[in-house]
């Protein structure tokens, strides 16, 4: 499996993981949405939209006919995360990110913007590579490399979480 397929699998796994982790810490995510005052119709609808779009974008990455829609959802979600992060700087107090549910203790800020820009870059790179080289769909790759890519993606997410937790710890005196 080459880098192109790994990025597709990574993006799909990442988006599914973030949706599942938001569902597992639903109350915390609801509080974040209420603090941001960025509701479309009502908080429940906004929460359902965010979680559904994350889940769909992740699932779409594994299907050839839906893959470009998944990339589009990832870009749109990332742009909205950038907007929310910029908006949160103008609000009083620190607002919990909940990007990975309650698993990783983060607040919205510059690192959220950088992470969203990175996701946009990965999505654009993947889309450009698909158009330029016409790669085969992820589901046409053998099952073992796909499973390995999913496990590696989960490991990267876990390492990121550990790094964020270690960086958030206060220095011992």
């Amino acid at each position: 499996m080459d880098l192109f397929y790994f990025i597709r699998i990574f993006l799909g796994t990442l988006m599914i993981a973030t949706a599942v982790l938001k569902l597992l810490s639903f109350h915390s995510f609801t509080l974040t949405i209420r603090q941001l005052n960025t509701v479309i119709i009502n908080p429940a609808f906004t929460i359902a939209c965010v979680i559904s779009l994350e889940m769909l974008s992740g699932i779409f990455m594994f299907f050839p006919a839906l893959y470009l829609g998944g990339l589009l959802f990832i870009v749109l979600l990332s742009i909205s995360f950038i907007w929310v992060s910029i908006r949160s700087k103008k609000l009083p107090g620190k607002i919990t990110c909940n990007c990975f549910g309650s698993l990783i203790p983060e607040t919205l800020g510059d690192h959220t913007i950088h992470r969203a820009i990175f996701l946009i870059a990965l999505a654009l790179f993947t889309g450009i590579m698909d158009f330029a080289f016409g790669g085969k769909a992820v589901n046409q790759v053998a099952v073992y490399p796909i499973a390995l890519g999913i496990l590696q993606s989960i490991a990267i997410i876990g390492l990121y979480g550990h790094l964020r937790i270690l960086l958030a710890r206060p220095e011992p005196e």
Side-chain angles (χ1 to χ4, degrees):
M1 174 172 48
D2 58 21
L3 179 63
F4 172 68
Y5 296 115
F6 176 73
I7 292 173
R8 288 176 70 173
I9 292 168
F10 174 75
L11 287 172
T13 304
L14 177 70
M15 297 310 287
I16 291 170
T18 58
V20 169
L21 290 170
K22 280 181 178 75
L23 283 173
L24 292 174
S25 58
F26 189 78
H27 178 70
S28 179
F29 184 58
T30 303
L31 180 63
T32 298
I33 294 295
R34 289 184 191 278
Q35 288 175 330
L36 288 169
N37 283 333
T38 56
V39 293
I40 298 170
I41 295 174
N42 64 37
F45 181 74
T46 303
I47 293 164
C49 283
V50 170
I51 293 173
S52 298
L53 285 175
E54 284 183 345
M55 184 65 77
L56 285 174
S57 66
I59 292 170
F60 284 5
M61 295 303 288
F62 292 95
F63 294 97
L66 304 172
Y67 160 68
L68 291 176
L71 287 177
L72 179 64
F73 285 162
I74 290 171
V75 170
L76 291 175
L77 283 166
S78 296
I79 289 170
S80 68
F81 293 150
I82 291 170
W83 178 76
V84 164
S85 295
I86 292 170
R87 178 177 165 76
S88 73
K89 290 181 179 184
K90 298 174 183 171
L91 297 173
K94 299 235 180 227
I95 298 177
T96 305
C97 179
N98 272 306
C99 296
F100 294 97
S102 298
L103 184 66
I104 301 173
E106 294 180 299
T107 56
L108 289 171
D110 290 336
H111 64 279
T112 311
I113 294 170
H114 297 138
R115 194 171 52 228
I117 290 170
F118 179 69
L119 286 178
I120 291 170
L122 282 178
L124 291 177
F125 171 76
T126 308
I128 290 168
M129 293 299 288
D130 186 50
F131 282 121
F133 300 109
K136 58 184 176 180
V138 170
N139 66 354
Q140 293 173 331
V141 176
V143 174
Y144 178 74
I146 293 173
L148 188 60
I150 291 170
L151 291 174
Q152 289 170 336
S153 300
I154 292 169
I156 291 170
I157 295 167
L159 287 172
Y160 172 78
H162 285 296
L163 180 63
R164 292 298 302 174
I165 290 168
L166 286 174
L167 292 175
R169 290 179 46 185
E171 290 290 322
E173 293 182 25

